[in-house]
Amino acid sequence: MQGDRSRRRQLALLIVAALLFNAPVLAVADRLALLPGVPLTPVYLFTAWLAVILLCALNLRERQP
């Protein structure tokens, strides 16, 4: 049962990551700006990337005995 639950979480994480790094979402982040002339895209990319890595680590940590 635990392996099936972990696989479902991995699949859900893959889908969320694909949506986070999809072109339409990146286009929205590209239009936003922290300060005039400073784009939000690099901050968005690194934050989303870090979130995906942390969620992967948490999922793998639960599987270990």
Side-chain angles (χ1 to χ4, degrees):
M1 284 294 171
Q2 188 69 11
D4 188 39
R5 184 177 178 189
S6 179
R7 286 182 190 211
R8 287 185 194 163
R9 284 184 182 171
Q10 286 176 347
L11 180 61
L13 184 59
L14 175 70
I15 293 169
V16 167
L19 290 174
L20 284 174
F21 298 113
N22 202 356
V25 178
L26 287 174
V28 170
D30 192 36
R31 290 188 180 190
L32 300 174
L34 291 174
L35 299 171
V38 180
L40 184 64
T41 306
V43 175
Y44 170 78
L45 285 173
F46 286 120
T47 305
W49 177 61
L50 181 64
V52 168
I53 289 173
L54 289 176
L55 289 172
C56 281
L58 287 173
N59 188 32
L60 291 174
R61 191 175 202 188
E62 275 189 14
R63 270 200 295 183
Q64 296 175 354

